[in-house]
Amino acid sequence: MSFGLLLPAGLLALFALAIPLLLHLTRRTEQQPTVFAALRWLQASQRPRRKVRFDEWLLLVVRLLLLAVLALLLARPVLHGTDDARAWVVVAPEIGRAAARASFDAPDADWRWLAPGFPVLDADAPAAVQPTSSLLREVDASLGANTALTVLVPRHLGGLDGERPALRRKVDWHIVDMETPPAAAAPRAPTVLAMRFGDADAPALRYLRAAAAAWQAVGVTGGPGRVQVTVAQSTEALGPGTAWLVWLVPGALPPEIRDWIAGGGTALLGASTDSAEAAAGTALWRDASGDVLVRGRALGRGRAMQLTREFTPAALPQLLDADFPDRLRALFEAPAAPDRAFAEAHAPRQGGPTLPSVPRPLQPWLAALVAVLFVAERWLATSARRGPSS
Amino acid sequence: MTAGFQGFVSPALRARLRDLRLVARRPAVSPGFGTHHSRSRGTGLEFSQYRSYEQGDDPRLIDWKLHARSDRFFVREAERDSPLEAWLVIDATASMTQADAARPGWSRLEAAKVVAACVIELALRQGDRFGIVTSGGDGVAPVPAAAGPRQRDRCLLQLHRLHAAGRWPVAAGLRSMGELIGPGALVLMLSDFFDPAAVELAEKLAAARREVLTLQILTVEERDFSFRGGHRFTDPETGDELLTDAGSARAGFIERFAAARRALAARLASQGVRHVEYFLDEPPDAPLRLLFGSGSRAGNPPAGA
């Protein structure tokens, strides 16, 4: 346990200690005249002694202490190495309180949920799906270096990211043998994909329709959400709830379509459409030889993408590939990253970054001390016993 | 019991005043009825003597039956109890503002007001006439002598208004005091008697057949000189300043001041003035007990004289 200051320059405030010292110099009371009518019987021969002396010692000491503690408070003192020796047991919310208590015996430990803020186990159970990997790194970073950590996880662990967490401590990775089905995704309303075409591009529609039909077949098995396709001439306005748009109309992009994109829509423009924004975007889809097929960029709150080639099999052979529906869908909607794994395979590694332990701030205690000293100072300064110094 | 009177005299103090009586060593001469023996003769309850009529006597006093028997005019005289006339002369110079550091509100003047209120209470109880003269930087302000509760209220109002400032007024302002205070009156002077003019006034009044009592009001600091360290002492009246070390000045001051007090007491005693010292840490009835209490050295008035 060691003491440190986060802002040592705050100690410059110690110069303020001179103020009460000056206030309490006895010279000051000498300067205040004392009314004394019997002056003629007093002899002037003796001069006052030239010696530094102070009035009201107790009050002076309290005032000096008050200022010193205030200066220390400004310097932001901390205590290092006051790690809580109590072990932590962190429970994934899917397990539940009763199962966690039954499967691991550590009554003295500090039981917490693996949830943001790490509420104690007696608190209400948080939601089942949590960003598990992130929380593991957080609990490792916020605990003292010597605190033992036990994590209770179900057999199938959700909420993971791409990497096995690398933690600085050895974690007791305790797998509770229970089946936890993946949380069922909430049923979503089908996404509306509108296709608008000019006469020249009408043949391309069959490829798009085929891709949409492929999506519907996948949608039955419960993968990504369903997509509802509406196909119309370019003159027809977009229906309400339209989220995606394929715009195969030559010429300039109409302002109302542009406003719709900026308002949050995602649009794939044909190669013959004039749109400076989309053409200047980054490459989103390249073919096997590295040539860019689709560029795109954000436009307002939405996204605009543009094909670089004609929507024909001759110009765009990928139309005939088997993975064209997936490719097309990926343009509109990034596929969800896998976030579930066997807990056994996802045990945290040791050897994470060595973070400095978080020192314990002393400011609340000092603030309480300041309050006590202030009350004492006021009490001493205003008490009835106090009179002009004699 | 008016509220103003309670401001000066607390109930406890009033209770301690119960056995005190304002008495004069000399018999009173002023007309009226009261509890004091009188040397003057006139109408009254207790027959004293006949004397022959003289020019200027009230014709109503002539005993006509005796005139019928003797064909001469006789005046019937009776001894009567006459009231005392009590005067309070209060010093209101700037030196009276001095108070002890231990008790800042209790200045010499406040003590003088309380003592004066006690004397007024005693005089009112006895049916005596009483009046107040204050003397300070604002001049001489008298409340002419009278008796009764309204006179008490007038005097207390005057005391309430009283503020100490300035120096003792010049002799011209005090000359009227001799005219105001009749012969034989009891005069109680409340002052610190640091000003020689105040002592001279007491001597003059005593020489002019007024019965003068002096109460010297002194602070505790003047008695004990309880200062420590360097201090700048100022005289409130002259404005003189003196920077000195209190510890080394203490012994000399106490010695000289005690000698000065003894000299003052001897000087006043030689003029027949009863002199009492009062320190601010004593109860306000203590000096009155010395002056008027039973068995006090002031003694009881000789009957008849």
Side-chain angles (χ1 to χ4, degrees):
Chain A
M1 190 180 299
S2 64
F3 182 78
L5 296 176
L6 297 186
L7 186 65
L11 291 182
L12 287 177
L14 285 175
F15 282 114
L17 289 179
I19 297 172
L21 287 176
L22 286 177
L23 288 180
H24 280 257
L25 266 183
T26 306
R27 295 284 305 155
R28 207 170 128 265
T29 61
E30 285 176 12
Q31 294 311 313
Q32 288 176 341
T34 308
V35 173
F36 200 70
L39 193 68
R40 77 191 75 151
W41 292 284
L42 203 58
Q43 270 187 347
S45 57
Q46 297 93 355
R47 298 289 302 167
R49 280 170 294 172
R50 294 280 170 187
K51 190 177 157 193
V52 176
R53 295 188 307 126
F54 295 101
D55 289 332
E56 298 178 84
W57 270 103
L58 190 59
L59 185 60
L60 175 62
V61 167
V62 170
R63 283 177 173 167
L64 287 178
L65 266 179
L66 179 63
L67 282 179
V69 174
L70 273 176
L72 198 58
L73 192 64
L74 282 180
R76 303 187 59 193
V78 290
L79 267 187
H80 294 290
T82 54
D83 294 340
D84 196 357
R86 212 166 152 209
W88 270 44
V89 177
V90 181
V91 180
E94 289 123 310
I95 298 176
R97 189 181 297 130
R101 295 271 191 202
S103 65
F104 191 75
D105 184 34
D108 294 335
D110 201 354
W111 290 71
R112 305 282 181 145
W113 287 114
L114 188 63
F118 304 107
V120 293
L121 198 67
D122 294 329
D124 292 337
V129 180
Q130 298 288 350
T132 306
S133 295
S134 169
L135 287 169
L136 279 174
R137 294 187 189 100
E138 182 185 344
V139 69
D140 179 59
S142 58
L143 281 184
N146 302 323
T147 308
L149 177 62
T150 304
V151 182
L152 301 190
V153 286
R155 179 178 297 279
H156 294 107
L157 195 55
L160 304 174
D161 53 22
E163 190 194 12
R164 269 175 71 195
L167 307 183
R168 60 174 170 154
R169 78 189 68 231
K170 180 94 178 75
V171 174
D172 183 7
W173 191 250
H174 192 84
I175 298 168
V176 179
D177 194 8
M178 63 188 291
E179 282 301 329
T180 50
R188 286 189 296 175
T191 311
V192 177
L193 169 64
M195 299 186 191
R196 296 290 181 268
F197 59 95
D199 291 336
D201 286 311
L205 286 178
R206 52 190 295 229
Y207 300 104
L208 288 170
R209 281 208 179 95
W215 295 345
Q216 305 300 9
V218 171
V220 169
T221 62
R226 293 169 58 82
V227 176
Q228 180 187 344
V229 182
T230 61
V231 182
Q233 287 279 341
S234 63
T235 53
E236 196 164 322
L238 295 176
T242 307
W244 299 342
L245 171 69
V246 177
W247 182 261
L248 301 176
V249 183
L253 190 65
E256 65 267 20
I257 299 298
R258 196 177 179 285
D259 292 344
W260 174 84
I261 296 172
T266 305
L268 178 65
L269 312 177
S272 55
T273 308
D274 295 337
S275 172
E277 291 96 345
T282 53
L284 296 179
W285 185 11
R286 293 174 190 269
D287 63 4
S289 59
D291 295 334
V292 177
L293 301 181
V294 173
R295 292 182 181 278
R297 61 175 292 184
L299 183 66
R301 287 191 286 122
R303 214 147 52 88
M305 299 172 290
Q306 189 164 29
L307 288 162
T308 56
R309 303 181 187 179
E310 288 293 317
F311 211 91
T312 57
L316 194 65
Q318 285 78 6
L319 285 182
L320 305 178
D321 286 350
D323 64 347
F324 173 69
D326 293 339
R327 290 278 193 176
L328 186 63
R329 175 127 192 183
L331 287 177
F332 285 100
E333 183 183 54
D339 66 344
R340 286 180 67 80
F342 287 110
E344 202 171 344
H346 209 75
R349 293 181 287 123
Q350 198 176 2
T354 335
L355 301 170
S357 67
V358 179
R360 177 186 294 181
L362 289 177
Q363 272 148 321
W365 301 102
L366 286 182
L369 186 58
V370 163
V372 168
L373 283 173
F374 181 73
V375 169
E377 191 268 343
R378 281 294 91 198
W379 181 72
L380 281 174
T382 59
S383 82
R385 292 175 290 121
R386 188 181 176 221
S389 170
S390 58
Chain B
M1 231 44 67
T2 61
F5 201 41
Q6 283 173 349
F8 283 126
V9 184
S10 66
L13 180 57
R14 188 190 308 282
R16 291 203 299 273
L17 293 178
R18 197 176 300 137
D19 57 337
L20 291 180
R21 283 185 68 236
L22 283 187
V23 287
R25 277 186 305 195
R26 298 189 188 114
V29 292
S30 57
F33 290 97
T35 63
H36 301 273
H37 293 286
S38 170
R39 204 166 41 174
S40 69
R41 299 174 203 287
T43 54
L45 301 174
E46 201 171 330
F47 175 76
S48 172
Q49 64 172 358
Y50 285 117
R51 65 168 171 82
S52 59
Y53 174 78
E54 291 185 19
Q55 195 97 26
D57 278 344
D58 191 342
R60 286 179 300 178
L61 297 178
I62 296 172
D63 192 324
W64 295 106
K65 285 181 179 172
L66 194 61
H67 170 66
R69 284 205 297 273
S70 64
D71 203 15
R72 283 159 64 182
F73 292 114
F74 283 99
V75 175
R76 191 185 165 89
E77 284 194 332
E79 197 172 277
R80 61 186 176 182
D81 293 335
S82 96
L84 182 75
E85 190 173 296
W87 280 91
L88 291 157
V89 179
I90 300 175
D91 181 357
T93 56
S95 64
M96 293 293 280
T97 57
Q98 186 180 340
D100 287 317
R103 196 177 169 189
W106 183 241
S107 65
R108 267 199 257 266
L109 188 68
E110 290 302 313
K113 285 178 181 179
V114 171
V115 172
C118 289
V119 172
I120 288 170
E121 166 89 336
L122 292 177
L124 181 73
R125 209 170 56 196
Q126 296 174 190
D128 290 337
R129 292 157 56 79
F130 51 92
I132 285 186
V133 183
T134 62
S135 161
D138 301 335
V140 177
V143 177
R150 295 197 58 186
Q151 169 70 2
R152 177 196 62 189
D153 294 344
R154 274 193 291 274
C155 292
L156 293 181
L157 188 61
Q158 174 82 355
L159 289 179
H160 267 296
R161 286 187 192 139
L162 186 57
H163 292 288
R167 308 188 63 172
W168 191 265
V170 290
L174 289 169
R175 194 169 300 154
S176 58
M177 221 178 266
E179 301 160 7
L180 207 60
I181 302 175
L186 181 80
V187 181
L188 177 60
M189 286 188 69
L190 305 171
S191 172
D192 50 17
F193 292 103
F194 289 166
D195 201 314
V199 186
E200 281 164 20
L201 175 67
E203 286 175 337
K204 275 181 189 167
L205 287 174
R209 278 193 60 224
R210 276 72 168 174
E211 177 162 359
V212 181
L213 315 173
T214 50
L215 183 61
Q216 188 178 20
I217 305 174
L218 298 171
T219 65
V220 181
E221 284 165 352
E222 281 162 356
R223 181 186 62 193
D224 301 337
F225 204 70
S226 51
F227 299 103
R228 254 177 293 158
H231 276 268
R232 220 174 58 169
F233 296 106
T234 60
D235 190 325
E237 292 188 20
T238 62
D240 292 343
E241 290 196 353
L242 182 65
L243 189 62
T244 188
D245 183 66
S248 51
R250 180 177 297 123
F253 170 78
I254 289 178
E255 185 188 334
R256 278 190 297 278
F257 192 53
R261 275 157 45 201
R262 278 195 302 273
L264 175 68
R267 181 178 166 188
L268 290 172
S270 71
Q271 298 291 326
V273 172
R274 281 188 277 166
H275 179 70
V276 168
E277 285 177 349
Y278 167 59
F279 294 99
L280 288 184
D281 58 347
E282 295 170 354
D285 62 323
L288 297 178
R289 203 160 287 284
L290 281 177
L291 287 170
F292 304 121
S294 57
S296 71
R297 65 184 162 95
N300 293 316

